[in-house]
Amino acid sequence: MRYLAMIKKEGRKRLVTFPGCPGCQTEVDPNENIVRQAADAIKGWLESHLALGRVPPRPPARKLTGN
């Protein structure tokens, strides 16, 4: 499954949030791999939901839009 990640610059760091996963976010330093950090964040968030017996939300269906 793929979840939408939003990246926002916060000073020198980048903040990665996942709109479909409330509370899931990570802050990434410029010298860190943003993809790896984001993957670790969503993995941890999903694992914690499962450990608590919660069903994580499914990612929304992606809509293709033309320009």
Side-chain angles (χ1 to χ4, degrees):
M1 286 192 273
R2 293 179 182 233
Y3 288 86
L4 174 67
M6 304 205 44
I7 303 169
K8 180 180 176 183
K9 192 165 182 161
E10 298 266 327
R12 292 189 62 232
K13 296 185 178 191
R14 292 164 287 172
L15 178 67
V16 182
T17 59
F18 295 85
C21 305
C24 183
Q25 63 183 23
T26 187
E27 219 175 47
V28 184
D29 288 322
N31 60 340
E32 292 180 306
N33 184 311
I34 195 167
V35 173
R36 186 176 302 128
Q37 288 289 100
D40 286 347
I42 193 69
K43 180 181 175 190
W45 188 88
L46 291 168
E47 286 175 352
S48 67
H49 266 63
L50 292 172
L52 293 171
R54 297 180 185 158
V55 177
R58 293 187 59 78
R62 291 176 50 172
K63 294 181 181 177
L64 299 177
T65 58
N67 291 12

